[in-house]
Amino acid sequence: MAAAARRLGLRAVCVGPGPAGSESRGWARSAAVRCAPSPPALARAAWTRVAVAPRPGVAWGPSRCGSSVAEAPATKAEDDSFLQWFLLLIPATAFGLGTWQVQRRKWKLKLIAELESRVTAEPVPLPADPMELKNMEYRPVKVRGHFDHSRELYMMPRTMVDPAREAREAGRISSSTESGAYVVTPFHCTDLGVTILVNRGFVPKKKVNPETRQKGQVEGEVDLVGMVRLTETRKPFVPENNPERNHWHYRDLEAMARITGADPVFIDADFPRQPTVCREHSPRRTHRRADQSHFAE
């Protein structure tokens, strides 16, 4: 115990001049024993010394509680600033979208008006220079000549546009849409001495074979009016044209011209203006049933 007391620094407290008539050494030893703390007290004292004494080389800093309290107002200010900018962005975005929609509506109305003016314009003779047709899409033109039914092309699959049927079947889960093809026939223009391609209109799938519609194969020279159409580029998910099978999914005028020997000029026939040509299957008059037309017979 005396040795432990000396290691803990208790000797200076307990050792002193002894009472009269006593031996100083014996008193000091007994006093040291009396003053030495119990083992639990020694443990507490040792723990206190170890916990409090700073280690060499260890930097002591301020408590984290003070830094957290200081950082909280700064974080809240940043959140409030972000929320203010976000709330300001909502009306600005809505205003931009609204302005874009208004401008887009004006553009669409102008485009529709321009197309209507072209479609309803009086037909003009087909220009001799094909370059002039680039600015004449949907413009009616008139030609005179005869068809070459031996080199027909088929744009398929197509469906017959029937506004009356669509109105009747509006809201139904299933519809009775008939699948078929557009018949594109070379047409030799007598006045110009060139051959163009004419979309004569829709035929159902069972009438694609020309032998099944002999009465629709117009013979002789006729006057024809149609709308100019330009070439198309293949859109995504649209299959490639298959000239070997004579299946055309989009208007590739250069390829069609090579197959038929015609010039890359294409018009949609407007047969209602032509009493001598079958009229029910023109692209603008496709609301008649196929089995009621002379073209499909």
Side-chain angles (χ1 to χ4, degrees):
M1 291 293 186
R6 283 195 300 270
R7 285 196 297 268
L8 293 174
L10 299 177
R11 184 177 59 181
V13 177
C14 298
V15 178
S22 62
E23 294 182 0
S24 299
R25 184 179 300 176
W27 183 89
R29 183 167 51 251
S30 62
V33 172
R34 288 194 303 269
C35 295
S38 61
L42 286 173
R44 288 194 300 270
W47 173 255
T48 304
R49 290 166 63 88
V50 173
V52 175
R55 293 183 179 180
V58 177
W60 292 86
S63 174
R64 294 181 59 85
C65 296
S67 62
S68 300
V69 173
E71 292 175 358
T75 304
K76 186 175 184 302
E78 292 178 359
D79 294 342
D80 292 343
S81 177
F82 174 77
L83 182 60
Q84 291 175 359
W85 281 106
F86 179 74
L87 294 177
L88 181 62
L89 184 63
I90 294 176
T93 304
F95 177 78
L97 290 176
T99 303
W100 175 76
Q101 289 286 358
V102 171
Q103 297 298 328
R104 179 176 175 80
R105 182 176 182 275
K106 291 180 179 179
W107 171 78
K108 291 181 69 174
L109 292 177
K110 181 180 178 180
L111 179 62
I112 293 173
E114 182 180 354
L115 291 178
E116 287 182 350
S117 65
R118 289 191 179 190
V119 171
T120 57
E122 286 297 321
V124 297
L126 181 69
D129 186 2
M131 298 299 294
E132 297 182 20
L133 298 176
K134 291 184 176 181
N135 297 323
M136 294 182 60
E137 189 168 22
Y138 295 106
R139 181 67 187 269
V141 294
K142 55 186 179 180
V143 292
R144 182 175 179 82
H146 61 272
F147 289 103
D148 183 0
H149 299 290
S150 64
R151 292 181 291 172
E152 287 183 345
L153 304 178
Y154 307 111
M155 298 184 65
M156 56 192 313
R158 294 293 188 270
T159 56
M160 184 173 64
V161 179
D162 189 348
R165 177 185 54 78
E166 293 177 358
R168 291 194 306 268
E169 297 180 355
R172 295 184 184 179
I173 299 178
S174 61
S175 61
S176 59
T177 302
E178 191 172 18
S179 178
Y182 285 163
V183 178
V184 179
T185 308
F187 184 85
H188 182 73
C189 302
T190 306
D191 298 338
L192 299 176
V194 297
T195 301
I196 64 174
L197 298 172
V198 177
N199 176 14
R200 301 180 62 206
F202 175 85
V203 291
K205 190 174 182 179
K206 62 183 180 181
K207 295 286 187 178
V208 171
N209 188 342
E211 296 180 358
T212 62
R213 45 182 170 83
Q214 289 295 326
K215 292 183 179 180
Q217 304 298 81
V218 181
E219 300 292 343
E221 195 167 87
V222 295
D223 292 321
L224 184 65
V225 173
M227 290 184 299
V228 175
R229 303 301 306 273
L230 302 181
T231 191
E232 290 180 315
T233 56
R234 188 174 71 90
K235 297 180 176 60
F237 308 109
V238 174
E240 292 282 357
N241 290 329
N242 191 341
E244 289 76 14
R245 298 183 58 188
N246 200 4
H247 290 177
W248 302 83
H249 301 283
Y250 60 96
R251 289 190 308 273
D252 185 350
L253 299 190
E254 294 294 336
M256 289 179 169
R258 286 194 302 268
I259 293 294
T260 59
D263 291 346
V265 178
F266 191 102
I267 66 174
D268 285 336
D270 183 13
F271 288 121
R273 300 173 185 257
Q274 311 301 322
T276 59
V277 184
C278 57
R279 62 182 63 185
E280 287 83 356
H281 282 277
S282 71
R284 295 178 60 186
R285 289 287 300 276
T286 54
H287 58 277
R288 294 284 299 277
R289 288 177 53 86
D291 55 5
Q292 294 178 348
S293 72
H294 296 291
F295 184 76
E297 292 179 354

